[in-house]
Amino acid sequence: MRQNNVLQSSSKSRSNKEKALTVSDAVIIEPFVMKVFFNNHQYRIIDFRPFFNTLKGDYKKYNTPTAFKKFIIKNGELWWGKNADIQLHPIDIYYNSLLHPLHDEFAEDLITL
């Protein structure tokens, strides 16, 4: 008889894993106020003015209603600028912690909903 030397993975399939929180859509309600939708079927209405008022140097150019409207959603985050000059992590948006971010780049995989 042959012995089966194939190891089977003990991890759950991707469909059973909890999904990391991402931004799925966003709509501007008024200058610097946005309704942000997430992949967990929740939404938040966020006033981004306090965060954008803290921008300095080259980033200050995004603190205008015209520049604010030019956001895109990429990789589940809100981005401004051709080179993603400003990237807002979905966890920070969800908990409205933009001035004191909650996420940690090294622990992002641990934050799931």
Side-chain angles (χ1 to χ4, degrees), residues 1-6:
M1 232 180 213
R2 277 183 87 181
Q3 194 175 22
N4 185 355
N5 291 329
V6 178

Side-chain angles (χ1 to χ4, degrees), residues 48-55 92 96-102:
F48 287 89
R49 173 64 69 189
F51 173 76
F52 276 78
N53 281 341
T54 66
L55 299 177
D92 299 326
N96 198 10
S97 60
L98 297 172
L99 296 177
H100 304 284
L102 293 173

Side-chain angles (χ1 to χ4, degrees), residues 18 22 24 32 37 39 63 71 75-77 92 96 99 110:
E18 293 181 28
T22 61
S24 58
F32 297 99
F37 298 88
N39 65 329
N63 193 10
F71 74 93
N75 300 329
E77 300 177 330
D92 299 326
N96 198 10
L99 296 177
L110 302 176

Side-chain angles (χ1 to χ4, degrees), residues 18-55:
E18 293 181 28
K19 293 164 107 177
L21 185 67
T22 61
V23 173
S24 58
D25 198 8
V27 178
I28 294 178
I29 297 173
E30 59 184 64
F32 297 99
V33 178
M34 189 182 291
K35 187 174 189 177
V36 183
F37 298 88
F38 299 91
N39 65 329
N40 67 352
H41 307 290
Q42 298 284 318
Y43 71 87
R44 300 288 188 267
I45 296 175
I46 305 290
D47 181 357
F48 287 89
R49 173 64 69 189
F51 173 76
F52 276 78
N53 281 341
T54 66
L55 299 177

Side-chain angles (χ1 to χ4, degrees), residues 80-91:
W80 283 265
K82 290 180 182 177
N83 297 316
D85 294 335
I86 299 173
Q87 292 177 283
L88 298 182
H89 194 277
I91 291 292

